[in-house]
Amino acid sequence: MIKESYNVTEENELVKASLDGDNKAFGEIITRYRKMVARTVRGMLGDSVFAEDIGQEVFIKLYYSLSEFRGEAKLSTYIQKIAVNLTLNEIKRRKRFFSMFSQKGNNEMHEFEVADHDTEERNEASEIVNKALTAMDPKFRVIVTMRMLQGYSTKETAEILGLPLGTVLSRLSRAQEQLRNILEKL
Amino acid sequence: MNPSEIKKMLISSMNADADPIEVFRRLKDEGISYDFSKSFGDKVLDKLFSAGLTINSEMEFVKSMNFAFYRIALTGAAAILVLLISIFLMEGSLSFNSFLGLSDSYNESIVCLLTGN
């Protein structure tokens, strides 16, 4: 898997130092994993103005739940689970919000998501990936994000999402079908 | 890579036997990268710190309230003790009547006042 992988002992020391109130240690954790979180959050939410807020929320939640981290799993997996859960919650919240005002809630949500681009220049490949991802069903979007943007295997994806391997493989196949349909229209 | 090649690559990346690491690398080579703003880390730490300061100030307030409560309680206990000693010295006992300021000799006067005899 392509991820920021660090020495486990060193990571556990950073966690311990953060728990002891060393803010520099927690700052180091943020520096190490911010891009990984950005890939998940921005991949699933698009370049929404809320993506950065959700990213901040991920690390704030991590800080307050560090005492529950036992060091049995990798810290990156632990952070990834928080990021996925918070992003899915945000997608659900937005879906509810938009459906209150319009029956075409999903379409409006997608327009809203892609409308806000930050200052960094986007190339063509980025545009295609972002448009395809934001048009996908959230349950497929998370699978595609884990695979394409994080480089996780199906087994690792299953572990992060807390799903059986068979379910992930089935969703992967359906996600491919949906992706094909979306990309044909782009 | 032209758009159609990118699309083909994205679709084939979803094959169960495709190597996700290779897909990730190829997308990275195409300039697909994600990050937050430069001040992201500082913003998170600021939020955590400011929350910590609020909690600290709340804790200080609770501590000072506890201190004030102990001082008031001790002063009150000392006042009650002085009152008991003074009652005992004046009345010679700590009976219920002593607390009310009535001694036994007053009983008759009260009966006289109440009955008029």
Side-chain angles (χ1 to χ4, degrees), chain B residues 5 14 18-19 31 34 42 48-49 51-52 57 59-61 69 83 87 90 103 115 117:
Chain B
E5 284 175 329
M14 301 304 287
D19 182 5
Y34 294 88
D42 292 334
L48 286 168
F49 263 132
S57 56
M59 289 298 287
E60 284 300 317
F61 178 72
F69 173 78
L83 190 66
I87 289 171
M90 285 169 69
S103 60
T115 57
N117 295 323

Side-chain angles (χ1 to χ4, degrees), chain A residues 116-135:
Chain A
D116 176 68
H117 288 273
D118 47 19
T119 51
E120 66 184 86
E121 283 186 17
R122 292 281 179 197
N123 60 26
E124 204 164 21
S126 290
E127 286 294 331
I128 292 170
V129 171
N130 286 337
K131 282 181 182 172
L133 279 171
T134 47

Side-chain angles (χ1 to χ4, degrees), chain A residues 2 8 11 14 41 43 50 95 104 116 121 139 142 186:
Chain A
I2 299 282
V8 176
E11 274 194 342
L14 278 176
V41 178
F50 302 109
K95 207 171 180 179
K104 295 173 183 175
D116 176 68
E121 283 186 17
K139 69 178 176 185
V142 65
L186 286 180

